[in-house]
């Protein structure tokens, strides 16, 4: 469900699916990064892959949430942004 919602963001008008995205001229793609340990370096490489083609970033992979801890990107991922 989450992936479908993310794909709706760049949806074009008059697409026969009853939706138009808020960024309908944007292009989307996916970067596989969850097939192993998600380290700061993995995040940084994923976030810096082909930045000239990226319009929207979605950090849907985490962090772990225990209701008390707020985590964010580490130093390499912050530099990639």
């Amino acid at each position: 469900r989450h992936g479908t919602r993310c794909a709706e963001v760049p949806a074009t008008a008059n697409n026969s699916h009853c939706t138009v995205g808020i960024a309908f001229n944007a292009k989307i793609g996916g970067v596989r990064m969850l097939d192993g340990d998600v380290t700061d370096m993995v995040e940084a490489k994923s976030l810096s892959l082909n930045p000239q083609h990226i319009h929207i970033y979605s950090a849907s992979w985490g962090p772990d949430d225990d209701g008390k801890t707020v985590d964010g990107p580490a130093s390499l991922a912050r530099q990639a942004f």
Side-chain angles (χ1 to χ4, degrees):
R1 290 177 16 186
H2 177 74
T4 302
R5 285 187 222 127
C6 291
E8 289 173 351
V9 170
T12 58
N14 302 315
N15 62 20
S16 75
H17 295 289
C18 299
T19 186
V20 62
I22 60 169
F24 52 85
N25 286 325
K27 302 222 184 298
I28 62 170
V31 176
R32 185 177 180 157
M33 59 176 273
L34 299 177
D35 60 346
D37 291 335
V38 181
T39 64
D40 186 26
M41 179 61 76
V42 169
E43 289 180 349
K45 285 182 177 181
S46 298
L47 292 168
S48 61
L49 181 69
N50 296 322
Q52 68 277 18
H53 299 291
I54 306 296
H55 296 113
I56 300 167
Y57 288 87
S58 175
S60 304
W61 61 88
D64 292 334
D65 183 4
D66 62 8
K68 297 177 185 176
T69 306
V70 177
D71 192 13
S75 62
L76 294 174
R78 280 195 309 272
Q79 289 175 29
F81 275 123

